[in-house]
Amino acid sequence: MEGLEGTLAGVRETFESGRTRSIAWRKSQLKAMIEFVQDNEEKIFKSLDQDLGKHPVEAYRDEIGVVAKSAKHALSCVQKWMTPKKGNLPLLFFPASAQVMPEPFGVVLIMGSWNFPISLTLDPLIGAISAGNAVILKPSELSPTCASFLAETIPKYLDPNAIKVIEGGIDVCHQLLQQKWDKIFFTGSQRVGRIVMTAAAQHLTPVTLELGGKCPAILDSISNPNNMKVIAKRIVGAKWGSCSGQACIAIDYVLVEEKFASCLIDSLRKTMKRFYGESPRESKSICKIGNETNFKRLLNLLKDPLVQASIVHGGSVDEETMFIEPTILLNPPLDSQIMTEEIFGPLLPIITLDNIQESIEFINSKPKPLAIYAFTKDETFKKQILSKTSSGSVTFNDTLVQFICDSLPFGGVGQSGFGRYHGKYSFDSFSHEKAILQRGFFPELEPRYPPWNNFKLQFIKLAYAFNYIGLILLLLGLKN
Ligand code: NAD
């Protein structure tokens, strides 16, 4: 592919010119990013509405606001982040100095996702720019209006020689993945994550994989009715209130003790009615299913008669408009696809347990999730969740909000991905930390050199164990 190789060569030339490393370039691009979202708010609203039926409030909360906040934060911190940090050295090395100097990887590939086509494409870009990289940005073809908007508008704001947007589908992804990159940042499914990692292995390219999985919510007990109202809002918000459940950190299923299940379902029903009215199909506050592939996949999850029988709320489908009603299922079979695959849509299974402590074993029987949510006031139970499970994040008594905390790393573990970003973690994700050690020519440690003898062995053992004694022995060693 002549065109792609030429584009890549041009971007690499820009990187090699050293321009993107300067603080001035980084700051100018971050400022331009802030201007980009401010100037284009209406166009972004329209594009997100077109692709996903995303309401402007949701669009601002989950996309525009996230990008503006990240860019502003990076702008205020980038100087500090890129300043080399002093490292501690053993006294044995005296006189010497150590530093850790972040350097950009080079030319990086960012592959965005369709469900949050603005924030999950531009948020990693902010990290890449802050770290001084040149970038090829590949928005998802499954949000075509947003992808075209980014391809058309980004070059008007950001340095077009260092940051290029390439549109295209799977064939273009394949061609991009055949190239040699200095870093690949991918957001998407585990299936494509494997393809990305296999391609990266050919060039030993480092990768960040922001994948998905089944994120559970644990509901410990329902004692206070006011708290239950808040919990219901937070569960509904995390299932239907952000891209209609098509979010990597959406609640996938809820675990609750059997005796609380009907109260939970009742509260969820009431909350959904408040949020989306009698007919959610007419609501402007709920996103549509993003594409036919996802719609068909979701229909397939509902096809199983035992799954159908477990529906306690919703369940209606309109194939023409690709609408799936917000749906609650009570105890669908644990070996059905809906409980073995990531749902990524507006279906919420509730699984009842005899004792909420069993939730830990339940979660551990599945691959490590990107997020665990737990509604509990029991400090001992919180500690058990933290120490006995593994996940990208744990959020107690709320949902989704961990995503917008710049001080927290965002990323998965195990099959939910690896690498992390947000705030300083984004900068780190796109930087190599170069170790720098400077020494003088005196004193010279003779025992580090042959010929070996027992004294030198003892010296080296002591030097590793106790630096001070090592230094004294060094002086003795100098005499030998
Ligand atoms: P996907 O992995 O199917 O597609 C992602 C992109 O990869 C596509 O836009 C396409 O351009 C490319 N692609 C698809 N098939 C390819 C192939 N065979 N070879 C090369 N490239 C290919 O994912 P999706 O359906 O767009 O997103 C759903 C998944 O993404 C879910 O699992 C979700 O949890 C995850 N996700 C994770 C995050 C996160 O931040 N961790 C965010 C959003 C989505």
Side-chain angles (χ1 to χ4, degrees):
M1 196 187 181
E2 191 68 38
L4 173 59
E5 275 158 14
T7 304
L8 192 52
V11 170
R12 188 165 290 286
E13 202 180 311
T14 306
F15 176 73
E16 281 167 5
S17 75
R19 181 158 93 227
T20 64
R21 290 174 182 256
S22 75
I23 180 75
W25 184 86
R26 300 183 200 202
K27 284 192 165 180
S28 72
Q29 299 307 298
L30 292 169
K31 280 181 193 153
M33 179 70 86
I34 296 166
E35 275 169 34
F36 164 77
V37 283
Q38 282 170 350
D39 294 355
N40 293 284
E41 196 174 291
E42 279 307 316
K43 284 186 188 159
I44 297 175
F45 283 155
K46 271 199 191 123
S47 304
L48 287 167
D49 181 37
Q50 183 88 21
D51 286 338
L52 294 157
K54 216 170 254 194
H55 190 280
V57 177
E58 199 179 316
Y60 198 91
R61 185 196 62 188
D62 295 351
E63 310 246 20
I64 298 175
V66 171
V67 175
K69 171 191 68 67
S70 286
K72 284 177 191 162
H73 180 64
L75 183 61
S76 68
C77 298
V78 63
Q79 173 90 66
K80 187 172 80 191
W81 292 343
M82 62 190 282
T83 304
K85 307 280 174 300
K86 242 180 124 172
N88 289 330
L89 279 178
L91 195 55
L92 196 60
F93 283 39
F94 180 83
S97 72
Q99 278 189 326
V100 180
M101 188 180 108
E103 67 175 15
F105 277 118
V107 181
V108 306
L109 171 65
I110 296 173
M111 297 171 74
S113 73
W114 56 265
N115 52 347
F116 297 88
I118 302 297
S119 55
L120 296 187
T121 310
L122 300 185
D123 213 7
L125 176 62
I126 290 166
I129 290 171
S130 309
N133 295 278
V135 185
I136 299 277
L137 202 58
K138 163 65 183 67
S140 173
E141 74 284 6
L142 298 173
S143 276
T145 320
C146 289
S148 298
F149 162 74
L150 290 174
E152 197 182 298
T153 321
I154 286 277
K156 295 179 186 162
Y157 286 81
L158 303 185
D159 180 347
N161 295 316
I163 297 157
K164 299 256 188 220
V165 185
I166 292 187
E167 281 189 272
I170 296 175
D171 53 332
V172 170
C173 288
H174 272 298
Q175 287 158 20
L176 285 167
L177 289 172
Q178 278 164 21
Q179 311 301 315
K180 184 182 182 319
W181 302 94
D182 299 309
K183 162 100 191 185
I184 301 175
F185 189 105
F186 170 78
T187 303
S189 65
Q190 294 170 0
R191 178 184 69 83
V192 182
R194 286 189 185 92
I195 295 171
V196 170
M197 205 165 155
T198 306
Q202 303 310 309
H203 301 286
L204 296 178
T205 298
V207 290
T208 293
L209 298 181
E210 293 289 340
L211 310 177
K214 289 183 88 60
C215 302
I218 303 167
L219 176 52
D220 180 3
S221 67
I222 300 171
S223 47
N224 179 330
N226 284 332
N227 284 356
M228 190 54 226
K229 279 187 193 160
V230 176
I231 291 168
K233 281 193 282 184
R234 292 179 180 180
I235 293 177
V236 172
K239 187 67 201 186
W240 297 282
S242 189
C243 207
S244 203
Q246 301 164 112
C248 53
I249 50 170
I251 294 177
D252 194 279
Y253 60 94
V254 180
L255 298 169
V256 65
E257 284 185 13
E258 201 168 350
K259 58 181 180 275
F260 298 126
S262 63
C263 174
L264 169 65
I265 292 166
D266 193 42
S267 298
L268 293 177
R269 274 200 187 112
K270 283 183 186 146
T271 307
M272 283 153 80
K273 199 170 152 191
R274 251 189 69 208
F275 286 4
Y276 307 116
E278 292 289 351
S279 172
R281 189 181 307 238
E282 317 299 328
S283 173
K284 294 263 179 279
S285 301
I286 193 156
C287 282
K288 58 186 186 188
I289 304 303
N291 52 72
E292 205 181 336
T293 312
N294 202 31
F295 180 69
K296 286 193 173 150
R297 194 188 54 77
L298 286 162
L299 287 195
N300 200 42
L301 296 183
L302 286 175
K303 223 171 53 187
D304 182 336
L306 291 175
V307 170
Q308 276 288 327
S310 72
I311 294 175
V312 291
H313 179 88
S316 73
V317 164
D318 180 352
E319 300 217 11
E320 208 161 290
T321 56
M322 291 204 305
F323 177 80
I324 299 178
E325 193 182 357
T327 299
I328 302 173
L329 307 98
L330 183 60
N331 289 322
L334 295 182
D335 60 356
S336 60
Q337 267 183 314
I338 202 166
M339 283 314 296
T340 54
E341 286 179 14
E342 179 183 2
I343 296 172
F344 209 62
L347 316 172
L348 181 68
I350 293 173
I351 305 296
T352 60
L353 306 170
D354 291 336
N355 186 318
I356 201 64
Q357 304 288 330
E358 293 164 25
S359 57
I360 290 178
E361 202 181 318
F362 191 97
I363 291 168
N364 287 341
S365 70
K366 298 185 179 299
K368 294 175 181 180
L370 189 56
I372 293 176
Y373 303 104
F375 295 95
T376 179
K377 285 180 146 183
D378 180 341
E379 294 303 323
T380 311
F381 188 39
K382 283 184 191 173
K383 281 186 192 143
Q384 285 173 345
I385 293 168
L386 290 177
S387 63
K388 293 185 179 173
T389 66
S390 178
S391 56
S393 63
V394 177
T395 303
F396 291 115
N397 301 323
D398 207 340
T399 53
L400 307 185
V401 289
Q402 76 276 17
F403 183 79
I404 51 167
C405 295
D406 281 331
S407 57
L408 293 176
F410 181 79
V413 57
Q415 289 188 37
S416 53
F418 56 84
R420 62 235 170 108
Y421 72 129
H422 288 186
K424 167 79 159 55
Y425 298 100
S426 291
F427 175 87
D428 293 342
S429 185
F430 286 98
S431 300
H432 161 60
E433 292 195 318
K434 186 152 70 183
I436 304 168
L437 179 67
Q438 296 203 55
R439 293 206 65 215
F441 294 105
F442 181 83
E444 181 62 322
L445 248 173
E446 290 306 325
R448 60 191 265 206
Y449 303 114
W452 306 129
N453 57 33
N454 195 40
F455 171 79
K456 289 183 180 178
L457 178 61
Q458 297 312 318
F459 174 90
I460 286 167
K461 279 186 179 173
L462 281 169
Y464 272 117
F466 310 102
N467 286 324
Y468 283 97
I469 295 179
L471 189 66
I472 294 163
L473 284 178
L474 155 80
L475 298 173
L476 289 174
L478 281 173
K479 292 185 188 153
N480 290 316

